[in-house]
Amino acid sequence: MKVLVAVKRVIDYNVKIRVKADHSDVDLTNVKMAMNPFCEIAVEEAVRLKEKGIATEVVAVSVGPKAAQEQLRTALALGTDRAIHIETDERAESLAVAKLLAKVVDEEQPGLVILGKQAIDTDNNQTGQMLAALTGLPQGTFASEVAVDGDKVNVTREIDGGLQTIALTLPAIVTTDLRLNEPRYAKLPDIMKAKKKPLDVKTPADYGVEVASKVTLPKVESPAERKGGIKVASVDELIDKLKNEAKAL
Amino acid sequence: MSILVLADLHEGQLAGTTAHVVAAAQAIGGDIDVLVAGEEVQAAAESAAKLDAVSKVRVADNAVYAHQLAEPMGALLVELAGDYTHVLASASTTGKNVLPRLAALKDVSQLSDVLGVESADTFLRPIYAGNAIATVKSDDALKVITIRTTGFDAVGASGSAPIEAVDTVVENTQSSFVKEELAKSDRPELGGAKVVISGGRGMGNGENFKLLDGIADKLGAAIGASRAAVDAGFVPNDMQVGQTGKIVAPDLYIAVGISGAIQHLAGMKDSKVIVAINKDDEAPIFQIADYGLVGDLFEILPELESKL
């Protein structure tokens, strides 16, 4: 079966972000960007399914500015077969991305779609679920284990109290949690080879999808700073401070 | 304005988080209905009826809603949502799993992890692992929102709302429940605990987490962990505090052997008082800790336990 994997270009997770002086958004100029960590896990899982002979072809797709092609090339270097870039400079909300991905699903007819559980920039945790709703496919979110078995897939999910396993009829949508796998690094020869792999560029208009959303961002601010604390010299002093100063004990 | 709150269940009982979501609904204003959906959830519905400010409780009690699988829950919510201007759930794994389905099926956006209400259409939510707070305004006809429960104080439980049955039954042929492995713990639930003590990579191994037990017992604390400790296999993942784990805001948070990576701070920096115990006096955790103690946790923890 074909596996479709969605990747997002986001700020590198190690970067300490800055809010713009005019409070319109976070400042992304000259900031290191990378593939969203959960998307790396999604790509890894798709490639592993191919290595196991379950997936016949793995297609990576990304919605975003032209620069997102860097992340698609990374996905190609990691073992995906071809890529689709849906180019837009607009701020694409989860719903618009889900609508675009639903069109790609319709066109490509994958047996499984794998996404990350959330992007570390917007922290929304929505796109996979929305895609499942729009395509009418079942969803296995926050997956820590994915086992394809004939026309079903068993997904072990990380839920608040522990783990839950559900069985889904294929085709299905899966979103990855951190413990699903350990993503590999791209090797130099694979990075070179990835430059020759096919990458189709489309626009939202090609799919007849409107990217604009009814959600606006009037203001972005830095969170309240914590007051600088103190270092104590001993356990006795710590307990004393907690009891008498902070009244936390 | 009329608001539907999806109740959180924990082993068939009403979870404490629901009272926080009702408080968020109260901040929006309007009639508040609570939906309790699941199998054999009458007791949970009775608990929900006691929550202050609730107008009525609607109960969808059917085997198809057992374990609150996303497909039937989404279908149920779509059926009911037409009567409301807002649908709220906690940002629990169930709320996160189900609500985006409702939003997409109603062709509206969803606002995730809302921690403040400015007005009926304008809300505050954290982005970039809590390093920025976005004000978001939704012009959608239906507002679908998950609530960060640490942002709202729970409502009281002195009410007596009427309970009515919801007869809507949907079909689900696409997904089925196989099994659940829930971590057993006698300690308070991590998300709602007043005191949390967490261990990180510095704990060295899973066995050493026992050093936290005595202190947790004395303080009535829940025990958490950093991602490093979870990834190293010291403790199960449901103990993880951080951007991708649980978000906590207890009165007292004690971080032991945790360096303080951005992703961990995202889960605990709204705690009232933060204590850091770490041998590295340069560790970033000390920049946000109210009280820091530099030293070897293997000496400090037993001393702390004996002196509490």
Side-chain angles (χ1 to χ4, degrees), chain A residues 34 39 95 109 115 136 146 157 159 209:
Chain A
C39 302
L95 182 63
Q109 296 289 318
L115 304 88
V146 175
R157 308 176 53 232
I159 59 168
V209 171

Side-chain angles (χ1 to χ4, degrees), chain B:
Chain B
M1 231 96 59
S2 53
I3 303 170
L4 182 67
V5 169
L6 174 64
D8 260 333
L9 301 177
H10 184 69
E11 293 180 351
Q13 301 300 310
L14 190 74
T17 45
T18 309
H20 296 260
V21 183
V22 171
Q26 220 177 3
I28 295 168
D31 285 341
I32 302 167
D33 291 355
V34 175
L35 171 66
V36 180
E39 189 180 23
E40 291 178 21
V41 289
Q42 199 57 35
E46 281 161 23
S47 307
K50 292 196 181 92
L51 294 176
D52 292 348
V54 172
S55 304
K56 69 168 181 275
V57 174
R58 306 180 74 176
V59 189
D61 200 332
N62 191 286
V64 75
Y65 306 122
H67 306 287
Q68 301 193 320
L69 298 183
E71 295 74 19
M73 290 294 289
L76 170 67
L77 283 168
V78 168
E79 287 289 317
L80 302 180
D83 301 342
Y84 299 94
T85 55
H86 297 69
V87 176
L88 271 54
S90 80
S92 63
T93 46
T94 303
K96 288 175 181 170
N97 192 34
V98 173
L99 251 57
R101 279 188 80 91
L102 164 68
L105 293 170
K106 298 294 279 184
D107 195 27
V108 298
S109 291
Q110 188 206 276
L111 306 178
S112 297
D113 254 322
V114 162
L115 47 69
V117 174
E118 295 244 300
S119 70
D121 64 3
T122 306
F123 306 89
L124 299 176
R125 62 175 302 263
I127 53 176
Y128 294 89
N131 288 296
I133 305 294
T135 304
V136 286
K137 181 170 184 294
S138 167
D139 290 328
D140 281 316
L142 173 71
K143 273 82 165 167
V144 178
I145 300 170
T146 60
I147 296 295
R148 177 170 290 195
T149 49
T150 55
F152 300 88
D153 292 330
V155 296
S158 58
S160 58
I163 298 176
E164 79 178 24
V166 173
D167 301 328
T168 310
V169 176
V170 298
E171 264 194 58
N172 178 28
T173 54
Q174 292 185 304
S175 61
S176 57
F177 172 82
V178 179
K179 64 175 177 180
E180 224 160 49
E181 294 160 51
L182 298 180
K184 290 272 168 257
S185 172
D186 301 331
R187 299 190 188 287
E189 197 256 319
L190 195 51
K194 294 262 183 257
V195 182
V196 173
I197 182 164
S198 288
R201 200 197 300 276
M203 297 300 292
N205 59 47
E207 194 65 18
N208 289 338
F209 264 72
K210 289 196 178 131
L211 292 168
L212 304 180
D213 284 346
I215 299 171
D217 287 342
K218 287 193 171 171
L219 297 176
I223 298 182
S226 69
R227 179 181 165 194
V230 174
D231 280 353
F234 298 175
V235 290
N237 60 276
D238 57 288
M239 286 171 67
Q240 184 183 328
V241 172
Q243 183 183 16
T244 63
K246 298 232 169 58
I247 311 287
V248 301
D251 295 339
L252 175 61
Y253 187 90
I254 307 175
V256 184
I258 292 176
S259 65
I262 295 172
Q263 292 77 19
H264 183 73
L265 303 186
M268 46 65 82
K269 68 192 169 88
D270 292 327
S271 305
K272 286 208 180 75
V273 177
I274 296 173
V275 170
I277 299 171
N278 205 300
K279 66 178 177 199
D280 173 12
D281 69 351
E282 304 271 294
I285 190 82
F286 286 120
Q287 291 165 20
I288 67 148
D290 299 281
Y291 302 105
L293 182 52
V294 180
D296 184 353
L297 65 93
F298 296 103
E299 289 164 18
I300 292 172
L301 289 177
E303 187 185 344
L304 182 60
E305 184 183 341
S306 69
K307 287 179 173 168
L308 278 172

Side-chain angles (χ1 to χ4, degrees), chain A residues 22-248:
Chain A
D22 66 359
H23 297 291
S24 60
D25 207 341
V26 165
D27 193 354
L28 294 181
T29 44
N30 299 320
V31 167
K32 189 183 174 206
M33 304 293 279
M35 189 190 293
N36 180 43
F38 291 97
C39 302
E40 289 182 357
I41 296 168
V43 170
E44 176 67 29
E45 195 65 17
V47 171
R48 286 187 191 185
L49 285 172
K50 195 178 167 197
E51 288 167 348
K52 281 187 215 157
I54 294 168
T56 47
E57 188 187 26
V58 180
V59 182
V61 55
S62 189
V63 179
K66 189 165 179 54
Q69 288 184 15
E70 278 173 40
Q71 279 62 49
L72 285 172
R73 290 290 171 200
T74 304
L76 291 168
L78 291 168
T80 60
D81 297 296
R82 62 189 170 87
I84 301 168
H85 177 217
I86 305 172
E87 192 176 334
T88 174
D89 286 324
E90 277 196 73
R91 192 170 57 91
E93 292 266 348
S94 310
L95 182 63
V97 174
K99 283 179 182 175
L100 287 164
L101 294 178
K103 297 282 186 186
V104 177
V105 168
D106 199 34
E107 213 168 74
E108 299 281 343
Q109 296 289 318
L112 195 63
V113 185
I114 312 179
L115 304 88
K117 82 164 176 182
Q118 75 191 63
I120 59 162
D121 50 1
T122 53
D123 280 332
N124 271 331
N125 198 328
Q126 299 172 357
T127 307
Q129 295 89 314
M130 288 181 160
L131 176 62
L134 296 175
T135 53
L137 299 178
Q139 70 189 45
T141 50
F142 329 139
S144 63
E145 203 182 325
V146 175
V148 176
D149 179 16
D151 63 348
K152 295 222 168 213
V153 58
N154 275 346
V155 178
T156 301
R157 308 176 53 232
E158 298 198 5
I159 59 168
D160 285 333
L163 295 172
Q164 179 191 64
T165 305
I166 55 173
L168 308 176
T169 314
L170 291 172
I173 314 285
V174 167
T175 75
T176 63
D177 216 317
L178 279 174
R179 270 158 292 276
L180 181 57
N181 60 46
E182 185 86 29
R184 70 192 70 186
Y185 292 97
K187 295 193 193 80
L188 187 60
D190 293 332
I191 295 171
M192 301 310 287
K193 270 185 239 161
K195 291 182 180 169
K196 296 205 178 73
K197 288 186 179 177
L199 190 159
D200 281 342
V201 181
K202 305 267 195 170
T203 65
D206 293 339
Y207 295 104
V209 171
E210 191 67 56
V211 174
S213 129
K214 287 194 171 140
V215 172
T216 50
L217 210 59
K219 195 164 63 180
V220 175
E221 290 176 300
S222 293
E225 292 276 327
R226 289 190 75 93
K227 275 192 303 184
I230 57 160
K231 285 202 177 126
V232 294
S234 67
V235 169
D236 289 318
E237 192 186 345
L238 176 65
I239 292 175
D240 174 64
K241 293 279 186 196
L242 286 176
K243 275 190 177 144
N244 301 316
E245 194 176 272
K247 311 223 181 291

